[in-house]
Amino acid sequence: MKKIKIWEKIGGWLKKYKSVINYNDLLRFAFCKSMDKRLKIGYLTSSLSSAGGWDRYSKGLIKAIAKLADVVVLTRRDAKNDELEGVKIHPVLPIKDNSFNPKIQASIFFKVRKYLKDRDLIHGLIEPFVPGAALAARSRGINFFLTFHGTYA
């Protein structure tokens, strides 16, 4: 009986304030140091194109998020990136994106520290770049997360 009353109160509160709460505000509240600014997100991916699964997924996600946030994307040096409105693209990551070699991860570490130093959040869209990127984010005190998807996730 007591649990039902608590959920009724929460439900009433959400109904009362649902027009005030939106996705962008929730993101800013969770990751920004100030609610007065736009969320700054950095992404790591292979490319922003329709060449393959990772690329197509990344392009669609980043195109949508760029409407809500200030977005900077790091892609492979050889990437054929499509231009996206409001998105800064830096093709600086190693071409070999299927290696966890320490030298490659060190290269990623320094690129992320350089290009994504002012971000509130760094989001890895493909796992090969993650070890170096996660370490760089941690060294800067930036929140980091990775999305796993596909049949092998």
Side-chain angles (χ1 to χ4, degrees), residues 63-131:
K63 185 177 179 180
I65 294 294
K67 294 176 184 175
L68 301 173
D70 176 26
V71 175
V72 174
V73 181
L74 303 185
T75 65
R76 291 185 342 197
R77 282 189 300 264
D78 67 341
K80 305 283 190 263
N81 296 310
D82 296 341
E83 292 292 322
L84 296 178
E85 187 178 334
V87 177
K88 295 175 195 146
I89 304 169
H90 299 284
V92 297
L93 295 175
I95 293 169
K96 191 172 183 181
D97 66 5
N98 62 348
S99 175
F100 293 98
N101 179 307
K103 288 181 183 177
I104 290 175
Q105 294 303 318
S107 169
I108 293 166
F109 172 85
F110 290 112
K111 298 295 185 191
V112 169
R113 280 188 56 89
K114 178 180 179 180
Y115 290 98
L116 303 180
K117 63 185 171 191
D118 65 339
R119 304 288 96 188
D120 297 309
L121 172 68
I122 297 174
H123 184 179
L125 296 177
I126 63 173
E127 60 274 10
F129 300 134
V130 168

